[in-house]
Amino acid sequence: MDRKYLVRSDEALPEAKIYDGKVFPLTFYPGKDQPPVGQTRLSEWASANRKLITQKAMEHGAILFRGFDLRSPEEQAAFFLSLGLKSMPYVGGAAVRTSIVGDIIMTTNESPPEEPIPFHHEMAQVPNPPTHLCFMCNIAAKKGGATPILRSDVVYTYLAKSHPKLCVDMETKGVKYVRVMPQEDDESSPIGRSWKNTFNAKTKAQAEIEMKKLNTTWEWLPDGSVKTTTATVPAIREDKRTGKKVFFNSVVAAFIGWIDSRNDPKKAVVFGDGTPINPKALEDIANFMDKEKVSFPWLSGDVLLVDNTVCMHSRQPFEGPRRVLASVFQGHVDTKYTMPNAVLTSGAKMPVLGLGMWKIPKTKCQEIIVEAVKAGYRHFDNACDYGNEQEVGDGIAKVLESKLVSRDQLWITSKLWNTFHAKEHVRMACLKSMKDLGVKYLDLYLIHFPIAMKYVPIETRYPPEWSYEPEAKLEFTESIVQSNVPIVETWAAMEELVQEGLVRNIGVANFNCSLLREILNTCKIKPAVNQVELHPYLLQSKLIRFCRKNGIHVTGFSPLGASSYVELGCSATEKVIDRKEISEIAKKIGKSPGQVLLRWGVQRGTSIIPKTTKVARLKENISIFDFELSKEDVDSIDALNLNKRFNDPGVFADIPIWD
């Protein structure tokens, strides 16, 4: 599909420079007259233009993405991965960092805000540095805090002209970096990363193994710190893609900025033969860098893609809160892009389109799982309460045995039922679902409702359903017996499932903002997902906004509206799929009304889990990534909102959770 109008690059930053006819940095903005370009749409565009984007990054040195609707590190991570870049571990870097989204996104250098960070190429002191960096601004500082950038070929040209002997020595001798690393992280220092953190080691012996891999030599000091000297690494490199020579190193950063109680910056870098580097020449180069830099103020939501061979970066001092995060990449992944993924806080990638298994007859489960996998589905949404997990497990077993997919290619979700909220019952319920599904771990486990009900033993009745004693002749609402289990108790037990390795990610379903705040205020692991009812009759825009702000991905169930609930007698409302507004959009773009509704769901930045037992409908539902809805279309669909909820325990069970 042609998405060329989604992104434009016809406007340069006021601070930009021009080199060889190329603006530095290149800036991409959302196309004009577009509905908000969020993670899903931007990822679709990026995946279709991977080669173009990395080519432009090489030609221009850096690309700034400005004005896009990316509200959390998780959404930014999904965009980064859609570029096809391969995430790499931060091993060997000097700065203290904290993981934010799995091993994909971390904090930038956590040194004190009053400390400037000199120009450098990221991890230039290691044998295999990153090929690309991504920076993202979540909170722009009140004053300062820019991330100045500089083209390294320009610095090389100046070096060769102004200091020819130094240039030759750097090119022929290379350089070594000398640094004393503390035993524990020192956040007061711009180079305070501990040897434990640097080498992902708990003991000196483990650190020595990692240092040997890097050909780094070391000397253990009495206070437990270690003096390291890197292998000789290049200071001048030839970019094999362009033939240009670049000043690729951290020499100036080490000479100026590697200073703390343990380190003398004048001794932090030497030639590969151990001889010193002319300090006056380095001071002159540093002054040239400062004059030649491009420094623009961050705006919240900005993303900067840097080609680490072409472009150096630094950091200015700042005042006030500032949150700029970073990712490092090395090369590209050789994977075929099929559909957008939501990236969760753990770094896990969840396909944005799944197959919901609610109300799928047991006799159909195995067949529909097999056909779904053949059609391209990898995400399957299940629950204890659906009563068909054993049969779904049969389908999973069949696709694995036939080698249609491997387990790591599937995304299996299940849910904790209301009767298992007590901490002593959570693990048991999870193991039961895992056994029925035939899996050794769950990709995602959700608390199905924020409703705790009286425990029903598995051997007594499974699934337990809503009624405590269904055989008793009571009104349905009177047959439900609630239990006083605090949601924080249940959540703590869910966290233990992650720590034990039974579950990769945990989340909730049918939770409002207040309940989410209650968990966020006390949790060790925040909810990765909130699964709620979403369709044009129920936009839930405020809830989605709250979740996005807090890095909680939203999955929408019943994305086609009232169809399932009409069958259950829960709704007499006109089906949204039958609305004239939807039919007119479908006719205009040559798609079915169902595809229009599903596209609307994913284009909002949510994932969706429609259900069907028909193979033709499976194929139709997954064919929603080759077209876009215009702003006019989206506005027309949004206008159908009635704040109408079909799956409401406050109505069918007299247990209000939304009021």
Side-chain angles (χ1 to χ4, degrees):
M1 151 185 188
D2 183 7
R3 289 190 170 93
K4 63 183 180 181
Y5 299 113
L6 192 70
V7 172
R8 62 183 178 89
S9 58
D10 56 353
E11 183 180 345
L13 292 175
E15 301 86 355
K17 294 180 181 289
I18 303 293
Y19 297 110
D20 299 327
K22 303 290 185 182
V23 64
F24 174 69
L26 179 66
T27 303
F28 284 146
Y29 302 91
K32 296 179 179 178
D33 300 320
Q34 288 284 334
V37 181
Q39 176 258 305
T40 299
R41 299 180 71 209
L42 188 58
S43 293
E44 288 177 320
W45 172 82
S47 68
N49 293 279
R50 288 176 172 179
K51 290 184 178 179
L52 173 66
I53 294 168
T54 52
Q55 176 73 18
K56 292 292 185 183
M58 178 190 71
E59 293 173 356
H60 294 260
I63 301 175
L64 176 66
F65 293 83
R66 173 163 283 183
F68 296 93
D69 189 23
L70 300 174
R71 301 194 187 184
S72 69
E74 290 81 1
E75 292 182 358
Q76 291 157 341
F79 166 53
F80 296 163
L81 294 180
S82 71
L83 294 169
L85 299 173
K86 186 177 181 180
S87 183
M88 69 175 288
Y90 184 67
V91 176
V96 177
R97 311 269 184 157
T98 301
S99 172
I100 302 297
V101 179
D103 61 356
I104 304 170
I105 291 184
M106 57 193 162
T107 56
T108 48
N109 192 317
E110 297 179 19
S111 62
E114 65 273 12
E115 295 286 344
I117 298 174
F119 276 107
H120 62 285
H121 284 277
E122 191 65 35
M123 297 170 65
Q125 69 272 24
V126 303
N128 296 297
T131 57
H132 296 84
L133 317 174
C134 281
F135 296 98
M136 71 261 7
C137 177
N138 289 155
I139 301 173
K142 291 181 180 179
K143 182 179 180 181
T147 302
I149 52 177
L150 176 68
R151 285 192 57 127
S152 296
D153 54 343
V154 174
V155 180
Y156 171 79
T157 300
Y158 177 80
L159 173 68
K161 180 179 179 181
S162 302
H163 303 280
K165 183 178 185 308
L166 175 60
C167 184
V168 171
D169 286 345
M170 281 189 163
E171 192 165 1
T172 56
K173 296 180 179 181
V175 294
K176 293 180 179 180
Y177 299 90
V178 182
R179 180 164 65 96
V180 177
M181 303 179 189
Q183 186 169 348
E184 305 294 339
D185 285 348
D186 177 4
E187 295 184 3
S188 69
S189 167
I191 55 168
R193 196 178 188 208
S194 67
W195 58 260
K196 291 181 179 179
N197 198 340
T198 299
F199 302 115
N200 193 23
K202 294 181 179 179
T203 67
K204 292 181 178 180
Q206 291 172 339
E208 290 177 2
I209 291 173
E210 297 304 316
M211 287 188 282
K212 284 181 181 178
K213 291 179 183 178
L214 297 171
N215 291 320
T216 292
T217 58
W218 65 88
E219 176 189 352
W220 292 105
L221 303 179
D223 63 355
S225 59
V226 62
K227 181 180 179 181
T228 61
T229 303
T230 69
T232 299
V233 292
I236 306 295
R237 300 194 186 206
E238 179 181 314
D239 187 342
K240 297 186 184 305
R241 302 166 300 176
T242 62
K244 290 183 177 180
K245 290 186 177 180
V246 293
F247 187 71
F248 187 96
N249 55 66
S250 292
V251 169
V252 171
F255 176 72
I256 295 176
W258 284 19
I259 181 172
D260 61 14
S261 60
R262 295 167 296 275
N263 292 276
D264 179 355
K266 300 299 185 287
K267 300 177 181 178
V269 59
V270 295
F271 284 121
D273 60 5
T275 56
I277 302 174
N278 183 344
K280 290 186 177 180
L282 293 182
E283 289 174 1
D284 180 61
I285 295 168
N287 290 332
F288 173 79
M289 289 176 166
D290 186 62
K291 293 176 183 177
E292 196 65 25
K293 69 178 183 293
V294 171
S295 180
F296 57 89
W298 283 112
L299 298 181
S300 294
D302 279 353
V303 170
L304 182 68
L305 171 64
V306 172
D307 187 307
N308 195 41
T309 302
V310 181
C311 180
M312 309 177 85
H313 67 279
S314 62
R315 189 200 75 182
Q316 292 180 339
F318 61 93
E319 296 177 9
R322 176 187 186 266
R323 195 182 197 220
V324 176
L325 305 176
S327 295
V328 293
F329 301 95
Q330 192 175 72
H332 295 76
V333 292
D334 186 22
T335 56
K336 184 180 179 182
Y337 181 87
T338 53
M339 71 171 70
N341 290 308
V343 175
L344 309 184
T345 304
S346 68
K349 298 179 283 292
M350 182 177 77
V352 300
L353 177 69
L355 179 63
M357 301 306 295
W358 181 50
K359 291 185 62 187
I360 303 295
K362 293 181 179 181
T363 56
K364 289 280 190 178
C365 286
Q366 184 181 100
E367 174 191 357
I368 205 68
I369 291 289
V370 173
E371 293 299 330
V373 168
K374 289 179 179 178
Y377 289 80
R378 299 294 181 266
H379 175 178
F380 297 96
D381 183 80
N382 310 281
C384 153
D385 189 53
Y386 299 169
N388 57 9
E389 287 192 320
Q390 285 189 10
E391 292 73 21
V392 170
D394 293 338
I396 293 172
K398 190 166 184 178
V399 297
L400 294 178
E401 289 169 4
S402 59
K403 300 190 183 306
L404 286 173
V405 289
S406 57
R407 173 63 185 94
D408 63 342
Q409 293 175 309
L410 294 176
W411 184 276
I412 307 298
T413 297
S414 188
K415 304 179 188 74
L416 176 78
W417 185 239
N418 306 340
T419 54
F420 302 120
H421 276 214
K423 59 185 178 182
E424 64 268 22
H425 299 144
V426 171
R427 184 177 186 273
M428 173 189 65
C430 178
L431 290 173
K432 170 62 174 168
S433 283
M434 289 169 56
K435 180 181 178 182
D436 288 350
L437 292 166
V439 296
K440 295 181 179 179
Y441 65 90
L442 292 172
D443 296 280
L444 178 63
Y445 197 46
L446 307 176
I447 298 175
H448 204 148
F449 284 96
I451 300 171
M453 301 194 317
K454 189 173 181 179
Y455 172 62
V456 176
I458 290 174
E459 56 273 17
T460 298
R461 186 174 66 254
Y462 191 87
E465 302 178 330
W466 287 87
S467 298
Y468 180 67
E469 293 181 318
E471 66 279 0
K473 296 181 179 180
L474 298 171
E475 291 292 330
F476 177 65
T477 56
E478 295 178 0
S479 69
I480 299 171
V481 181
Q482 296 188 63
S483 177
N484 295 322
V485 180
I487 198 65
V488 293
E489 174 184 320
T490 307
W491 189 254
M494 295 282 284
E495 291 175 327
E496 290 179 3
L497 300 178
V498 177
Q499 293 160 2
E500 190 177 347
L502 297 175
V503 173
R504 301 285 174 86
N505 302 274
I506 50 178
V508 296
N510 302 295
F511 273 52
N512 61 28
C513 294
S514 293
L515 289 166
L516 289 170
R517 285 192 193 95
E518 185 175 353
I519 293 178
L520 290 171
N521 287 338
T522 60
C523 67
K524 296 177 182 176
I525 303 172
K526 75 179 183 183
V529 171
N530 186 17
Q531 187 181 118
V532 295
E533 181 181 347
L534 288 178
H535 45 72
Y537 285 160
L538 184 65
L539 300 187
Q540 303 223 67
S541 299
K542 292 180 181 178
L543 176 64
I544 292 175
R545 188 161 60 248
F546 175 86
C547 289
R548 292 184 65 195
K549 183 178 180 180
N550 288 279
I552 301 171
H553 179 72
V554 176
T555 296
F557 66 78
S558 301
L560 299 176
S563 302
S564 296
Y565 304 101
V566 171
E567 298 167 11
L568 294 175
C570 296
S571 173
T573 306
E574 179 185 3
K575 295 180 183 179
V576 69
I577 200 170
D578 294 334
R579 291 290 296 254
K580 181 180 73 171
E581 296 89 340
I582 303 301
S583 299
E584 289 177 349
I585 294 171
K587 183 178 180 180
K588 178 181 68 175
I589 62 180
K591 293 290 182 177
S592 73
Q595 288 174 312
V596 169
L597 292 175
L598 298 180
R599 177 67 204 183
W600 173 84
V602 299
Q603 199 163 307
R604 298 180 82 200
T606 63
S607 55
I608 54 174
I609 45 172
K611 71 175 187 67
T612 185
T613 58
K614 298 179 174 63
V615 175
R617 189 61 54 80
L618 276 175
K619 295 178 180 179
E620 177 184 306
N621 288 352
I622 203 172
S623 300
I624 60 171
F625 300 105
D626 59 349
F627 72 99
E628 291 230 348
L629 299 175
S630 68
K631 185 177 186 302
E632 180 184 11
D633 296 335
V634 171
D635 290 345
S636 177
I637 297 172
D638 287 352
L640 299 177
N641 183 46
L642 300 172
N643 292 320
K644 174 65 177 177
R645 197 180 304 278
F646 300 110
N647 187 345
D648 189 350
V651 175
F652 66 78
D654 196 25
I655 306 176
I657 58 176
W658 298 105
D659 301 318

